[in-house]
Amino acid sequence: MGTPFISHLEPSRLDGYDPTKPHDQQAAHIPQVFLDAMEVREAVFVGEQGTPLPCEYDVDDARSCHWVTYASVNRTTSPEQRDPRTGEVLKPRRSETRSMPIGTLRVVPFPHPPHPPPGARYVGNVLQEPSSSSSSPPSSSSDDSNDKAKKAARPRARTLTSVDAARQTSTLPYGADAPTTYHDGKEPYVKLGRVAVVAEFRGHRIASQLWRAAKQWLEHNPAFFNPSVTELGMDQLKIGAIGDIPKWNGLVCCHAQERVANVYEKWGFKVDEGMGKWYEEGIPHVGMFQRLHIKEVNPKV
């Protein structure tokens, strides 16, 4: 493996991205760095962990910053062939060197959907709710009863409410969230996520290098995600004074898979006990927070 290098992609237009198709079957206008990020995510989350392909891309991708690590990898395209009797080389080995994406992560700006309720289950980023078995009409057939009981036990997708949708797509935080151990429910935060490294390149601190690059960028650009009064106007911001403009003060959240929470702890994150544990695509997750030391910046006017 050659010396890795990292590329950074700021929020981009991803109109036309088809989540039902893999990265190498997307429209030509999709930024290559994002396709490379999806190549890694598909290998890890879809290929290894079994996440359905349509669930891997989501509405946050277009508004996020993405970082991708590449390495120069030499691969054999045609093996050497020798004469079995004399050992003479009949056809030399052929190879090619490619800059291969081997790791990725993203940082999602505020606002965010509400913190996941403890014990909640999400499929395709949609909160699932158990169906009530009492709503099933009685049946004289035991087979029918068993079928209805099985159906009742399956989770039911809860559609996004207008509040949820507004929080997820609005330029600004939408209402107060439930307070947790490290979040008061009101302060804007950015969210670290989709951290993935291709299996054969693990153990080389690739993820740590990615987070270090993202962290440094965030510390040097603390106002990047802050809304602008000039662009949006006071009415849309729903504020009465400049001092009310939401701004990021260094708080970073991470929805970490429980089994790798110790990795994020090494990066300075702390488990937020107040968020409890929930499940995404069947995988247990915990909330973690870290506050970066950033320079004081004035709100965007």
Side-chain angles (χ1 to χ4, degrees):
M1 179 179 72
T3 303
F5 64 93
I6 298 175
S7 289
H8 170 215
L9 178 69
E10 294 183 355
S12 307
R13 293 185 64 86
L14 300 177
D15 299 353
Y17 191 93
D18 187 345
T20 67
K21 295 180 180 179
H23 69 279
D24 55 358
Q25 296 181 21
Q26 298 298 330
H29 70 274
I30 303 297
Q32 186 60 50
V33 173
F34 181 72
L35 295 177
D36 293 338
M38 291 302 294
E39 179 177 344
V40 176
R41 285 161 53 173
E42 288 169 13
V44 175
F45 300 127
V46 179
E48 291 184 37
Q49 300 181 4
T51 299
L53 178 61
C55 296
E56 182 48 39
Y57 174 89
D58 65 21
V59 295
D60 284 331
D61 275 318
R63 68 190 190 101
S64 299
C65 283
H66 301 264
W67 282 262
V68 179
T69 298
Y70 299 83
S72 296
V73 180
N74 186 275
R75 295 187 181 279
T76 299
T77 57
S78 178
E80 179 183 79
Q81 294 182 9
R82 291 178 177 268
D83 188 306
R85 294 175 300 170
T86 65
E88 178 183 1
V89 176
L90 301 177
K91 185 178 180 181
R93 171 182 171 274
R94 295 183 180 277
S95 64
E96 66 177 11
T97 299
R98 175 194 174 218
S99 291
M100 174 181 175
I102 61 174
T104 189
L105 62 73
R106 76 180 185 185
V107 172
V108 186
F110 58 90
H112 304 282
H115 293 311
R121 294 181 180 273
Y122 290 81
V123 175
N125 294 317
V126 177
L127 177 62
Q128 309 291 298
E129 291 183 346
S131 298
S132 174
S133 58
S134 61
S135 62
S136 300
S139 171
S140 58
S141 168
S142 60
D143 290 339
D144 289 346
S145 297
N146 289 337
D147 289 341
K148 292 182 182 297
K150 290 178 181 178
K151 291 179 180 179
R154 296 172 185 161
R156 181 181 69 227
R158 178 180 71 85
T159 57
L160 288 177
T161 65
S162 59
V163 173
D164 293 339
R167 287 184 65 98
Q168 197 159 2
T169 60
S170 172
T171 306
L172 296 173
Y174 191 92
D177 203 347
T180 67
T181 306
Y182 296 115
H183 185 228
D184 63 4
K186 300 177 182 178
E187 180 181 352
Y189 64 88
V190 299
K191 186 165 67 176
L192 171 66
R194 295 301 201 273
V195 181
V197 176
V198 175
E200 62 187 283
F201 296 97
R202 292 170 194 159
H204 298 284
R205 301 182 62 82
I206 301 299
S208 296
Q209 294 173 27
L210 277 164
W211 167 237
R212 187 160 53 248
K215 178 182 177 182
Q216 184 179 50
W217 183 88
L218 286 168
E219 291 173 337
H220 290 170
N221 299 273
F224 182 83
F225 295 123
N226 291 346
S228 166
V229 174
T230 302
E231 295 176 2
L232 299 176
M234 300 282 280
D235 291 339
Q236 184 174 342
L237 293 176
K238 299 179 180 178
I239 58 174
I242 296 298
D244 297 332
I245 302 174
K247 67 175 182 176
W248 183 63
N249 290 315
L251 191 61
V252 183
C253 176
C254 175
H255 291 181
Q257 293 186 14
E258 186 178 36
R259 66 182 181 83
V260 294
N262 63 319
V263 173
Y264 294 94
E265 288 177 334
K266 293 177 181 177
W267 296 352
F269 286 88
K270 295 180 179 180
V271 175
D272 190 311
E273 300 294 345
M275 291 181 69
K277 179 169 65 176
W278 68 94
Y279 300 83
E280 297 180 15
E281 313 303 332
I283 301 173
H285 282 66
V286 294
M288 307 182 77
F289 280 93
Q290 176 180 175
R291 186 176 295 280
L292 304 185
H293 298 290
I294 62 173
K295 294 181 179 179
E296 182 71 20
V297 293
N298 294 322
K300 286 185 180 179
V301 179

